Amino acid sequence: MRRWSELAERVAATTRTSEKTGLLADYLRTLDADELPIAVVFLTGRPFPEADQRATGIGWATIANALGQVSGTDRADLAAAYDRFSDLSAAVGDVLERAGHEPDPERSPSLVEVAAAFTAIEAASGPARKSHLLAALLARADPRTARGIVRVLSGELRIGLREGLVEAALAKAFDRPLDAVKRAGMLTGDIGRTATLARAGNLDGAALALFHPLKFMLASPAEDATEIMTRLGPTVWVEDKYDGIRCQLHREGTTVRLYSRDLHDISSGFPEIVAAARDLPWAGILDGEILAWRDGTVLPFIALQSRIGRKDPSAAILADVPVIFVAWDVLGLDEPGRPGAGGGSARDGVVAPTLELPLTERRRLLEHLDLPLASEGGGFALSHLSEATSTDELETAFTEARGRRNEGLMVKDPTSTYSPGRRGYGWLKMKKALATIDCVVVGVEVGHGKRHGILSDYTFAVRDESRDQLVTIGKAYSGLTDAEIATMTRWFDEHTISHYGRYRVVEPTVVVEVAFDVILRSNRHKSGFALRFPRIARLRLDKDPREADTLQTVTRLYEGLQAGAEHLVTAGARRAHVGREPA
Ligand code: AMP
């Protein structure tokens, strides 16, 4: 683990991509078969592979506690160090150094031991037991190794690594074609498994396995119809943008599993969809959305909310909020040539990938699956699809989608392939009058008046990809419901890193969708931008902070706004579609 930590620091010290790749490749080549998958998963900033359901359940408080057990320091020491570095791993290393922590180098934990400790921490119940296990691990780690451990645990790698870079390093380390590494990564959805295949020279062995969720393809926000047509035209595919729960459905034989966008198994929460998919004559994987639906109409998202996070819904809830699965994509099938020819069972749990086919072809396959439609008493629907060749047609489609009570449009390039985990330009979302951006809450403040004692003012940030850092972009009085604010107040209370008077720095893990009127250049915030009339449209607890929008996206939206001064007028006139106005 010490070598991993050293490598992470060397990678962080250079901004040059080629140098990062070179350092990584040299390091990866030296690892044995057991160490390699662990090292690469850690390099992506996670203690477990992404599609793994497990999470260590460790937050700032547990880390502070464990550190106290090892070094005799208290939370205030860690908070003071954090204020100096704005980085939890650096702060932990600093506290240990100052406390003169010098364990026997012979007992320094190996990568395999650290991975085993993370497994034990995940399995342990309660923060006391977890911090005890972490303390035992940190006790054996010198400050630098401890920095590495905390980097992985806190998910704040900050070494400027994206998965693409790790893939490039694997290609270089084992002298394999980059495309083959990327393809294996796409199919397995597991960088550790990809590394093992690359090392063994068996990248062709990567398969699309059922019941291992793939990352979801993401959409980029588009500012308006003109931008969409410029990027994707001359002919675009236009689907309604449904406001439900993103879901990947896997089925084979009588087994059906549903996965949420954070790749968790949510099957038990939606028994009617599982039942509807049980008797289909094919094995495969669909992408779509779970929607609340009654008598041929979509119910508002708020209805669906009572089913989110509920494992075994009661008969009353099932009757109250019926759901269906709206499908828009097919990612793998037993017999893509003739859907259904496989008779519903896949060989060795593996299906043929269809995600590399163009969307036109995938849609054709989807339509041939003959899903039992909700309109005929079944549990499925297909996304509403049309074609547009002009901005006028897009605007009309937008109005019609809103008329069907959907959020807006998802505009797709008909030639595009399905790229898991990527937020590319193959899919563009046209939601409200203006785009919203997903930001990470980095600070909170107690409110005034009626909100006294409640953490209701949020400072939020976007990701600067080039520096792998969060940069603040605005502050808004929360537009959330009182119940949400109360829950979040408790959460932020438990995840406060440090206090500055009324302002608290909090763990940067909560994503909020922020609506605004205009983006302005401003020195007020670290991003160099400010939002006019920012308001929190909703909490996005389903999103990982890594999925927050980037400074690069904000810059693009800003440039788009500059390009049409006329647009500023429109933007002003169309404000306040979502959330509440700031107090
Ligand atoms: P957002 O959550 O605002 O980033 O928008 C992306 C989400 O829109 C996806 O994750 C899906 O859950 C949802 N969505 C709704 N309708 C569609 C559609 N027709 N195609 C793809 N994604 C859709």
Side-chain angles (χ1 to χ4, degrees):
M1 187 69 200
R2 186 182 160 87
R3 281 188 52 230
W4 185 95
S5 303
E6 279 167 5
L7 170 86
E9 289 179 9
R10 288 174 64 202
V11 170
T14 166
T15 50
R16 294 191 35 212
T17 307
S18 58
E19 222 168 291
K20 284 184 198 277
T21 322
L23 284 168
L24 284 167
D26 290 344
Y27 166 74
L28 295 174
R29 218 176 283 126
T30 65
L31 299 176
D32 67 27
D34 289 341
E35 296 166 328
L36 178 69
I38 298 171
V40 292
V41 169
F42 286 3
L43 282 171
T44 58
R46 299 172 196 276
F48 303 116
E50 193 176 1
D52 198 313
Q53 309 274 319
R54 294 173 301 163
T56 56
I58 281 206
W60 204 82
T62 317
I63 293 177
N65 210 323
L67 192 61
Q69 294 174 44
V70 177
S71 62
T73 53
D74 60 25
R75 274 181 86 137
D77 296 309
L78 183 59
Y82 185 86
D83 290 345
R84 278 199 303 281
F85 297 100
S86 293
D87 178 295
L88 190 54
S89 59
V92 166
D94 181 68
V95 168
L96 287 174
E97 247 157 42
R98 284 167 190 260
H101 179 63
E102 281 178 26
D104 177 1
E106 295 280 305
R107 294 194 59 236
S108 187
S110 67
L111 275 169
V112 174
E113 285 171 324
V114 172
F118 288 169
T119 299
I121 289 170
E122 186 272 337
S125 53
R129 185 80 198 111
K130 285 182 193 286
S131 65
H132 186 72
L133 288 167
L134 179 59
L137 182 63
L138 291 180
R140 294 168 53 195
D142 61 275
R144 172 176 273 170
T145 309
R147 281 202 295 266
I149 292 170
V150 174
R151 268 181 201 254
V152 176
L153 272 181
S154 65
E156 276 186 68
L157 209 53
R158 292 207 177 153
I159 55 179
L161 276 192
R162 267 166 279 128
E163 207 165 278
L165 224 142
V166 180
E167 286 174 346
L170 284 170
K172 191 171 160 78
F174 302 110
D175 199 17
R176 315 281 175 221
L178 179 57
D179 282 350
V181 176
K182 283 191 180 303
R183 179 166 191 272
M186 178 177 83
L187 296 179
T188 62
D190 177 346
I191 188 91
R193 169 110 189 93
T194 306
T196 302
L197 292 172
R199 185 176 190 273
N202 186 24
L203 287 165
D204 290 343
L208 188 55
L210 285 166
F211 312 117
H212 293 269
L214 282 134
K215 284 179 219 163
F216 288 80
M217 178 155 173
L218 305 171
S220 296
E223 185 209 321
D224 58 16
T226 310
E227 184 194 343
I228 293 177
M229 290 314 294
T230 314
R231 278 193 189 279
L232 302 184
T235 302
V236 297
W237 273 22
V238 185
E239 295 180 22
D240 281 19
K241 183 174 190 301
Y242 302 95
D243 196 7
I245 302 168
R246 182 79 177 269
C247 179
Q248 200 176 99
L249 184 154
H250 291 226
R251 74 162 313 286
E252 181 197 12
T254 53
T255 311
V256 178
R257 292 254 180 286
L258 308 175
Y259 300 97
S260 60
R261 57 175 291 157
D262 50 5
L263 311 183
H264 288 145
D265 186 336
I266 51 167
S267 316
S268 67
F270 302 95
E272 62 270 67
I273 293 177
V274 171
R278 194 159 277 144
D279 295 321
L280 300 173
W282 46 267
I285 304 174
L286 302 182
D287 184 12
E289 191 107 338
I290 296 173
L291 275 190
W293 170 276
R294 186 192 296 286
D295 303 330
T297 23
V298 182
L299 302 178
F301 183 75
I302 197 133
L304 197 56
Q305 245 160 351
S306 63
R307 298 201 50 174
I308 291 177
R310 204 179 282 267
K311 292 229 163 66
D312 291 300
S314 65
I317 289 197
L318 290 178
D320 238 22
V321 188
V323 295
I324 60 164
F325 185 92
V326 183
W328 53 71
D329 225 310
V330 51
L331 314 186
L333 271 183
D334 46 0
E335 292 277 340
R338 278 186 311 133
S345 58
R347 209 170 308 128
D348 302 327
V350 164
V351 286
T354 54
L355 68 176
E356 293 156 298
L357 300 172
L359 176 59
T360 42
E361 190 57 20
R362 302 201 305 278
R363 179 76 187 200
R364 195 184 63 78
L365 291 173
L366 180 66
E367 291 181 359
H368 275 83
L369 292 179
D370 285 330
L371 293 168
L373 298 179
S375 52
E376 294 156 15
F380 289 88
L382 293 184
S383 58
H384 186 280
L385 173 68
S386 60
E387 216 174 65
T389 50
S390 68
T391 51
D392 281 353
E393 281 172 18
L394 265 188
E395 296 286 0
T396 309
F398 183 85
T399 313
E400 287 172 0
R402 294 295 282 240
R404 284 186 288 271
R405 300 209 204 167
N406 293 320
E407 233 191 329
L409 299 180
M410 194 59 96
V411 188
K412 302 181 179 177
D413 173 355
T415 64
S416 61
T417 58
Y418 189 97
S419 28
R422 304 251 187 279
R423 193 187 283 288
Y425 295 126
W427 293 6
L428 291 178
K429 54 190 178 189
M430 181 173 169
K431 281 213 263 196
K432 320 270 161 39
L434 261 183
T436 57
I437 51 171
D438 293 330
C439 303
V440 182
V441 179
V442 292
V444 294
E445 264 173 79
V446 283
H448 296 275
K450 166 163 116 45
R451 307 264 191 200
H452 180 71
I454 294 170
L455 296 169
S456 63
D457 295 9
Y458 298 172
T459 299
F460 40 83
V462 289
R463 255 177 340 104
D464 178 355
E465 276 192 320
S466 60
R467 286 181 292 166
D468 202 19
Q469 250 182 26
L470 287 169
V471 287
T472 51
I473 187 159
K475 185 180 151 175
Y477 168 83
S478 169
L480 305 174
T481 64
D482 288 349
E484 282 174 326
I485 294 178
T487 309
M488 293 319 294
T489 296
R490 275 195 301 280
W491 193 92
F492 286 129
D493 236 351
E494 284 161 17
H495 297 83
T496 294
I497 294 174
S498 51
H499 293 253
Y500 295 90
R502 302 171 66 87
Y503 184 80
R504 297 164 175 222
V505 177
V506 294
E507 260 179 52
T509 34
V510 172
V511 177
V512 287
E513 188 176 321
V514 177
F516 54 88
D517 284 13
V518 177
I519 300 173
L520 310 162
R521 283 267 183 215
S522 156
N523 292 330
R524 191 147 34 110
H525 303 288
K526 227 170 151 187
S527 60
F529 290 107
L531 305 175
R532 191 164 143 239
F533 294 128
R535 48 216 182 263
I536 293 172
R538 64 166 144 136
L539 272 175
R540 294 303 305 256
L541 298 180
D542 58 325
K543 287 204 172 179
D544 185 285
R546 278 175 254 239
E547 289 179 50
D549 278 308
T550 59
L551 184 58
Q552 289 65 29
T553 295
V554 171
T555 310
R556 190 169 57 76
L557 290 173
Y558 169 78
E559 283 164 1
L561 283 169
Q562 290 301 300
E566 161 219 17
H567 189 95
L568 293 177
V569 180
T570 330
R574 282 184 185 173
R575 65 197 184 80
H577 281 268
V578 283
R580 298 177 208 154
E581 288 296 285

